[in-house]
Amino acid sequence: MEEQHHPPAWAEQFVEWYCKPELVEDLTGDLNEFFERNLKTIGPRRAKLIYVIDAIKFFRPYTVRKPEFANLFINWIMIGSYFKTSGRGLMRNKLFSSINIAGLAISMSVGLLLISFLLDLRSYDRFNKNGERIYRITNDATIKGEQNGKFGTTSIKTGRLIDEKVTGVEEVAIMREGFSQDAQVGDHFLPLKGFWAESPVFKIFTFPMLEGNPETALREPYSVVLTETAAKKLFGDGAAVGKAVKFDSIDYQVTGIMKDIPFFSHIHFEALVSLSTAEQLNKADQDFQKWTNMWSNYVYVLLPQNVEISSIESQLRSIANEENKTDANTKIQLELLPLYNIVVGENLNRSMGSAGPHLPPVVLWILGGLALVVILSACFNYTNLSIARGTRRFKEVGLRKAIGAGNSQIKWQFLTEAFIISFAALFLSFFLFLFLRPQLINLAPELQRLVKLDLTPAMVIAFLVFSVAVGVIAGFMPAVFFSKTSAITALRNVSSVKVFKHITLRRALAVVQYTFTLIFITTTAIGYAQYKNILAFDLGFNTENVLNIDMQGNKPDAFLRELSEIPEVTATSRSMIVTSVGNAWGGNVKYKDSQDSALVLTNQVDENYLSLHGYKLLAGGNFVTHPATPDGVHEMIVNQQFLKRFNIGAGDPEKAIGEEISFSNFTVSRQKMKIVGVMQDFHYGKVDNVVGPVAFVPWTQADRAIINAKIQSKDVPATLAKIQSVWKKLDRTHPFQAEFYDKAIEDAYSEYSAMIKIIGFLSVIAISIASMGLFGMVVFTTETRLKEIGIRKVMGATSGNLIYLLSRGFLLLLSISALIALPVTYLFFEKYILTSFPYHTPVQIIETIAGLLVVLMIAFLMIGSQTMKAAGSNPVEVLRGE
Amino acid sequence: MKGTNLGEFEELVLLTVAALLEEAYSVAVCDELSEHTGRSVKLGVVHAVLNRLEEKGFVKSELGEATKTRGGKRKRFYQLTSAGRSALVQAKAMRDQLWDKIPSLTWNKA
């Protein structure tokens, strides 16, 4: 068995490479002897490790061979010559060079964007000095036997228990989210967002304090630590520490000022309030400290160096098992999530609020895959054209070999050419990158928060490495191909050379290229059509010209009175949430069967809401009562699904009127409600949700308010300005927040529009690259076949014949690609993507074929123009030289 | 050629080469030294010292026969040169002189 282990070959080669020839045998022999000895005593793995270490340690002045200057000198001269001849070659074939450079530049700009994107994601949270030792607790919750998935949040109790019981944890910090109030200093208001936290936060994360003591700043209740910017906004340039800030009529003391949170942090806040404050405020809430109250607290731990993660994990398991005994319905498991895996990592529920930056790795793989396809496509072009052009360069290669060039020198010659092209392309693509960067970032607000794509030294290095890699990928095949041919075959009659063996390969590459191009463009077309369908989707009510104004905690009545003075506002209503854009609110409903309860999505609306939005009532009428508090609410308007779910009225909406159900939610419990109206089903959720039971209940003054204003105006911006000035009179603290319903719907699907734009952009790039490649091939074939064409013409072939002859091959390739790409894309959408949209319209033939038509048209244009030129050439001119 | 004086470790290596007679090659020297000094001696260091001694002319070396072990690589055997021998003798003589200077009386007292 021992015989099978060998020292690592690369380490041996390394020694042989650097070591003086007279020492090398003895030295490697020694290493081998030690290796064999170690193999017996400490096993193969460590023996190999020691071998490698020793091999590196032997790299000393006396062992290292002196560089052979003569060789280096020759190489240097040759490199100069490579550059010179490559440059000449590129200049001579301007068309091919520009096709290659342009194609590579376009595709590389995509690569550059991706690289900068990845580097930005990778730099998240790296500002933390102890980043590698920071972990966040993940809750894996099973509630009532139902797997609820993993949560980034956990309970306060978890944090406390870890602090008390788990050994081998350096620091534990609890951060409770949801602190969002208006800070008041004198007459000055400023909305602040932040966390309730304790002092370990400052030990775990690298959040430097500018003023105040990090140890004590978050100890006392009602103390607050502000970021530099927040402090400046509140107190101007004056001192802030020790001053009082009023939140919701309670005075808080500023106990510290900290530096602003770096952009690349997954945690963002403007203020930290001591956790003891939250404990004081929630004294009455018995659930506050409960193990199952796991919805809004984050627990971070700092582990010491060299700690065994498994030991911490097993301690966490035993804590969880102990605590799970206290609640019969909820089973929670605790897990550790490394800090660096938060932003790019598993999808978690409530991972750092809904706004926290997060990307599942799958998205990165997909984006990376798409970018790779585009880049490879451009590399294919290069490979393809270089080899095709090879027939003309065989003489050059033969001559070089004949006067003594080695294989490696030919290889270098061709690689240098590829490098020159790829560096030129890098140069161009960098400008493209600068141009595309803002477009990408502004695609979606999420992207603005996620990345900056600023140039960093690491990025520049990555770009250079990338362009070298592209050069190698593009130039490798031609280099190997040309270096392999022997001088004799190369110098012999060119036509007999085996270039044409590679024709199948080139065709296969072209088919692959066009298949991907077609997939891209068809995906864009179908995706765009579906997206438009979603936006134009009939939700079951009317959203046109409805402006939703968020009251942000203000009572709406005064504002409503002011609004009614504006003539362009034709109608107003109040509701609690805006539906159909992803918001949801709800409660449990029971009908006669007390065992059968179901979640019903609700919206609290006033009596004008239905008519303003044009909901269709099937039976019954509007709300009659105007209750002041949720306790007084006893009416309900339900949809058809509601009746179906509880089997009320046996299919007849009229019979359902007057039926009584019992309703519980956050504010009321087992409230008796009467069904006063039945409305047609509408889409409460987004279009990808199935329509379920929905109910409207009367809006009360205690509810959050959104004003829905129907606007009829020729000059919308002026009307908006009017409304805004009304708002400013009533609320000077909060900026006016209003959005047209249609715009809100558009925003709700912004991820799709961003996705379509990205794929659309990629498909434009893919088409241009593939077209350029095709163009190059067409030019090449027609040029080489010019004489054949001449002879055919002499023999009496018509132009039509010749065009058919020349374009036949390309059209065949294109149709193979189409036959692969179109069904694949169609099935991909029908079987995979659209299954998550229950109300989608089926994919139309026209969308599927549109892409193909565009590609075909471009291809025809190129093939046509070249073949026409060739077919139109005068045979006398062409054949004269023979 | 640089200085011909012997460092302490160089002297030890040189002595070991002398003691090992025909079997003096790097790994053997290394083992022997480890055994006698009781501390683990690194191969790299021995190698460097042997190389330096050869440069100074205290030892000469030649490659031996190929064997199955060591991955078929030959060993480099070292032999003391006359310069090496005299350097050792000189070093010993110097020490002896110094030892003789210590009166046995004072030694015992301490």
Side-chain angles (χ1 to χ4, degrees):
Chain A
M1 287 302 282
E2 281 161 2
E3 305 280 312
Q4 286 172 348
H5 293 290
H6 294 287
W10 63 269
E12 207 169 338
Q13 277 164 8
F14 175 62
V15 174
E16 279 161 10
W17 171 72
Y18 72 70
C19 194
K20 283 181 189 161
E22 63 267 25
L23 288 178
V24 70
E25 178 160 13
D26 153 47
L27 220 158
T28 46
D30 286 355
L31 285 174
N32 284 339
E33 191 167 345
F34 261 83
F35 177 76
E36 279 157 25
R37 191 184 293 180
N38 285 336
L39 214 52
K40 289 193 190 106
T41 51
I42 52 177
R45 271 187 53 194
R46 290 192 54 200
K48 277 179 193 166
L49 184 69
I50 291 175
Y51 187 97
V52 172
I53 292 172
D54 280 344
I56 294 166
K57 272 162 89 178
F58 265 119
F59 190 86
R60 291 160 185 244
Y62 78 93
T63 58
V64 176
R65 85 164 87 192
K66 302 288 173 289
E68 288 158 34
F69 284 105
N71 254 345
L72 208 69
F73 194 58
I74 288 172
N75 280 340
W76 183 244
I77 293 171
M78 284 316 288
I79 287 173
S81 144
Y82 297 154
F83 272 102
K84 198 181 280 173
T85 44
S86 302
R88 281 180 194 156
L90 296 180
M91 291 311 283
R92 199 165 38 238
N93 295 294
K94 289 204 180 64
L95 176 68
F96 289 100
S97 310
S98 42
I99 286 178
N100 281 328
I101 293 179
L104 280 176
I106 294 173
S107 68
M108 276 167 80
S109 64
V110 177
L112 296 191
L113 283 174
L114 186 77
I115 289 174
S116 57
F117 192 74
L118 291 181
L119 284 178
D120 263 12
L121 286 183
R122 206 195 146 270
S123 62
Y124 260 95
D125 294 319
R126 304 274 159 173
F127 67 90
N128 289 299
K129 290 198 183 81
N130 298 325
E132 276 165 25
R133 298 192 279 131
I134 302 175
Y135 292 80
R136 189 175 73 187
I137 304 292
T138 301
N139 259 25
D140 196 350
T142 311
I143 296 168
K144 291 180 187 159
E146 199 178 315
Q147 182 38 262
N148 274 37
K150 290 185 176 179
F151 288 77
T153 51
T154 183
S155 56
I156 290 185
K157 182 143 195 189
T158 308
R160 297 275 180 251
L161 286 171
I162 292 174
D163 206 10
E164 284 163 24
K165 291 189 178 167
V166 177
T167 55
V169 172
E170 216 168 282
E171 297 289 344
V172 182
I174 302 169
M175 295 183 80
R176 181 175 169 76
E177 75 169 351
F179 180 85
S180 170
Q181 282 174 11
D182 294 337
Q184 187 188 356
V185 174
D187 285 339
H188 188 63
F189 283 95
L190 178 74
L192 279 185
K193 280 188 177 147
F195 290 86
W196 286 283
E198 289 176 311
S199 64
V201 164
F202 296 110
K203 289 186 189 151
I204 294 181
F205 297 105
T206 309
F207 292 151
M209 282 279 243
L210 298 172
E211 283 176 69
N213 181 355
E215 293 280 332
T216 55
L218 291 176
R219 187 177 295 163
E220 301 301 322
Y222 307 110
S223 16
V224 56
V225 173
L226 299 172
T227 59
E228 219 179 339
T229 311
K232 203 160 261 172
K233 276 189 197 157
L234 273 175
F235 297 98
D237 290 326
V241 173
K243 296 259 181 73
V245 179
K246 204 172 255 183
F247 289 105
D248 200 15
S249 77
I250 305 173
D251 270 331
Y252 286 64
Q253 204 191 17
V254 178
T255 49
I257 307 293
M258 56 184 291
K259 268 204 160 157
D260 284 340
I261 312 299
F263 180 86
F264 290 112
S265 166
H266 79 282
I267 311 173
H268 281 281
F269 54 81
E270 296 160 298
L272 288 178
V273 179
S274 55
L275 187 65
S276 47
T277 317
E279 279 163 359
Q280 289 266 329
L281 293 173
N282 291 289
K283 235 189 253 169
D285 185 1
Q286 289 173 342
D287 286 340
F288 185 70
Q289 297 277 8
K290 259 195 182 165
W291 166 248
T292 48
N293 188 359
M294 46 165 267
W295 314 109
S296 38
N297 313 290
Y298 300 94
V299 171
Y300 293 89
V301 296
L302 179 67
L303 302 183
Q305 245 131 21
N306 305 324
V307 77
E308 291 258 349
I309 300 292
S310 58
S311 104
I312 307 282
E313 278 171 343
S314 73
Q315 291 184 68
L316 288 179
R317 262 196 299 282
S318 67
I319 286 181
N321 289 340
E322 190 63 30
E323 289 300 318
N324 280 337
K325 288 175 191 160
T326 58
D327 192 303
N329 284 331
T330 313
K331 297 283 166 261
I332 296 172
Q333 288 302 325
L334 303 177
E335 288 168 16
L336 289 173
L337 179 69
L339 178 68
Y340 296 154
N341 294 358
I342 291 177
V343 173
V344 179
E346 204 182 351
N347 267 325
L348 297 175
N349 295 319
R350 304 192 58 73
S351 180
M352 214 60 210
S354 41
H358 176 261
L359 260 191
V362 166
V363 173
L364 293 184
W365 284 115
I366 292 176
L367 287 179
L370 294 182
L372 191 72
V373 166
V374 170
I375 293 163
L376 283 184
S377 174
C379 291
F380 280 173
N381 274 356
Y382 183 86
T383 307
N384 226 342
L385 289 178
S386 303
I387 294 184
R389 224 154 36 92
T391 38
R392 300 177 178 191
R393 299 197 60 179
F394 262 111
K395 287 225 169 84
E396 179 199 332
V397 173
L399 204 59
R400 275 174 190 281
K401 286 209 160 177
I403 57 173
N407 279 356
S408 71
Q409 274 158 330
I410 300 287
K411 239 182 249 171
W412 275 112
Q413 160 91 49
F414 279 89
L415 278 179
T416 312
E417 218 161 281
F419 285 146
I420 291 179
I421 293 230
S422 85
F423 273 112
L426 176 70
F427 186 71
L428 268 185
S429 69
F430 183 71
F431 288 104
L432 274 176
F433 165 76
L434 292 183
F435 168 74
L436 290 173
R437 186 169 61 180
Q439 323 279 338
L440 176 72
I441 293 181
N442 293 331
L443 264 188
E446 289 81 8
L447 279 172
Q448 283 169 2
R449 281 196 297 268
L450 190 65
V451 290
K452 285 205 283 201
L453 306 186
D454 282 344
L455 272 185
T456 58
M459 220 172 260
V460 173
I461 293 171
F463 285 179
L464 289 175
V465 170
F466 172 65
S467 101
V468 170
V470 167
V472 169
I473 295 173
F476 182 73
M477 286 244 292
V480 169
F481 172 69
F482 284 111
S483 68
K484 266 189 187 162
T485 47
S486 72
I488 299 171
T489 42
L491 283 174
R492 212 193 284 155
N493 193 1
V494 171
S495 59
S496 70
V497 178
K498 54 179 180 175
V499 195
F500 293 99
K501 269 190 188 169
H502 285 262
I503 236 163
T504 357
L505 174 75
R506 292 202 330 252
R507 282 189 179 149
L509 289 186
V511 167
V512 170
Q513 205 178 31
Y514 264 94
T515 306
F516 276 113
T517 306
L518 282 173
I519 288 179
F520 276 167
I521 191 170
T522 314
T523 305
T524 314
I526 297 180
Y528 184 73
Q530 291 290 332
Y531 173 69
K532 279 286 163 206
N533 285 344
I534 288 177
L535 290 192
F537 192 77
D538 181 13
L539 295 166
F541 60 96
N542 197 352
T543 57
E544 213 178 339
N545 295 330
V546 176
L547 183 72
N548 291 315
I549 306 162
D550 190 344
M551 290 312 292
Q552 302 176 61
N554 295 307
K555 291 277 167 268
D557 291 2
F559 189 64
L560 271 183
R561 266 196 304 280
E562 296 273 352
L563 273 187
S564 61
E565 313 260 303
I566 301 176
E568 286 90 350
V569 178
T570 53
T572 54
S573 68
R574 292 161 292 187
S575 67
M576 193 169 83
I577 58 170
V578 177
T579 57
S580 310
V581 294
N583 298 323
W585 196 254
N588 267 310
V589 167
K590 282 182 190 170
Y591 185 47
K592 282 172 183 154
D593 180 0
S594 64
Q595 292 299 309
D596 180 35
S597 84
L599 178 76
V600 170
L601 299 170
T602 62
N603 194 4
Q604 271 76 322
V605 304
D606 72 2
E607 65 281 0
N608 300 323
Y609 188 84
L610 290 179
S611 57
L612 190 141
H613 291 90
Y615 284 95
K616 291 179 197 72
L617 276 179
L618 298 175
N622 214 335
F623 298 126
V624 186
T625 56
H626 297 279
T629 59
D631 296 330
V633 172
H634 292 289
E635 291 176 309
M636 199 173 234
I637 297 174
V638 303
N639 71 349
Q640 293 163 292
Q641 288 294 328
F642 186 99
L643 299 186
K644 208 167 163 194
R645 169 65 186 80
F646 294 100
N647 198 17
I648 305 174
D652 183 2
E654 294 293 345
K655 280 187 195 149
I657 303 299
E659 288 295 313
E660 210 168 58
I661 54 108
S662 124
F663 182 69
S664 333
N665 67 4
F666 280 102
T667 42
V668 295
S669 174
R670 296 208 195 88
Q671 187 111 318
K672 289 274 167 270
M673 304 279 240
K674 198 185 270 173
I675 296 175
V676 297
V678 177
M679 59 191 164
Q680 218 169 41
D681 281 339
F682 68 99
H683 287 265
Y684 180 100
K686 288 212 234 172
V687 179
D688 44 354
N689 296 71
V690 178
V691 174
V694 173
F696 284 165
V697 292
W699 182 88
T700 68
Q701 291 290 344
D703 289 318
R704 203 190 128 200
I706 284 173
I707 287 186
N708 327 104
K710 187 97 174 173
I711 297 198
Q712 209 107 58
S713 163
K714 289 210 173 72
D715 186 5
V716 175
T719 314
L720 279 182
K722 255 190 231 172
I723 300 176
Q724 192 162 359
S725 67
V726 172
W727 173 271
K728 281 216 181 102
K729 265 194 280 178
L730 293 170
D731 185 337
R732 268 172 297 167
T733 319
H734 301 97
F736 179 60
Q737 273 185 29
E739 195 175 29
F740 276 101
Y741 214 140
D742 287 335
K743 179 76 175 47
I745 290 173
E746 219 168 280
D747 286 351
Y749 299 101
S750 68
E751 69 220 64
Y752 299 119
S753 90
M755 209 62 197
I756 288 167
K757 278 181 195 156
I758 289 176
I759 297 180
F761 171 66
L762 285 176
S763 63
V764 168
I765 285 180
I767 290 182
S768 27
I769 292 169
S771 307
M772 279 192 267
L774 183 69
F775 184 65
M777 288 305 292
V778 172
V779 170
F780 170 77
T781 4
T782 44
E783 267 178 25
T784 40
R785 293 175 80 175
L786 218 49
K787 280 187 183 140
E788 181 197 332
I789 291 167
I791 294 170
R792 279 178 192 274
K793 272 191 97 166
V794 170
M795 304 299 270
T798 63
S799 290
N801 286 345
L802 291 175
I803 290 176
Y804 171 71
L805 173 84
L806 288 171
S807 51
R808 190 178 51 187
F810 296 112
L811 291 182
L812 185 73
L813 295 187
L814 263 179
S815 38
I816 295 175
S817 308
L819 278 180
I820 303 171
L822 298 188
V824 164
T825 322
Y826 179 79
L827 288 178
F828 176 67
F829 267 92
E830 277 292 323
K831 299 276 175 234
Y832 192 71
I833 301 269
L834 291 176
T835 45
S836 50
F837 294 90
Y839 302 102
H840 76 266
T841 42
V843 175
Q844 305 290 321
I845 297 291
I846 183 85
E847 298 144 20
T848 323
I849 296 191
L852 177 66
L853 289 180
V854 171
V855 171
L856 271 183
M857 230 168 67
I858 296 174
F860 264 127
L861 262 178
M862 284 178 321
I863 298 174
S865 69
Q866 288 305 305
T867 44
M868 292 273 269
K869 210 171 100 189
S873 64
N874 189 351
V876 177
E877 301 278 321
V878 182
L879 294 172
R880 194 163 45 187
E882 211 62 13
Chain B
M1 190 165 284
K2 39 188 177 180
T4 45
N5 56 324
L6 276 178
E8 187 229 12
F9 190 70
E10 285 176 348
E11 189 182 342
L12 280 177
V13 172
L14 202 53
L15 276 170
T16 322
V17 170
L20 282 171
L21 303 172
E22 301 290 295
E23 280 303 306
Y25 75 104
S26 47
V27 177
V29 172
C30 191
D31 290 346
E32 190 77 8
L33 271 176
S34 301
E35 193 179 314
H36 282 279
T37 57
R39 52 182 190 193
S40 86
V41 178
K42 291 279 179 294
L43 180 65
V45 182
V46 172
H47 217 275
V49 169
L50 282 171
N51 196 65
R52 209 177 316 141
L53 287 173
E54 189 167 12
E55 232 171 78
K56 289 180 181 174
F58 293 149
V59 292
K60 57 183 181 185
S61 70
E62 57 188 19
L63 290 170
E65 294 292 304
T67 52
K68 261 189 197 166
T69 53
R70 296 168 58 89
K73 300 284 184 331
R74 288 174 291 176
K75 297 171 182 172
R76 182 176 291 275
F77 289 105
Y78 290 87
Q79 234 173 4
L80 238 59
T81 58
S82 55
R85 202 168 301 130
S86 63
L88 272 180
V89 170
Q90 216 178 338
K92 186 173 188 304
M94 193 180 71
R95 277 172 202 227
D96 286 346
Q97 272 174 26
L98 285 170
W99 274 106
D100 290 343
K101 276 201 174 167
I102 307 170
S104 51
L105 213 84
T106 33
W107 193 254
N108 289 339
K109 253 189 193 173

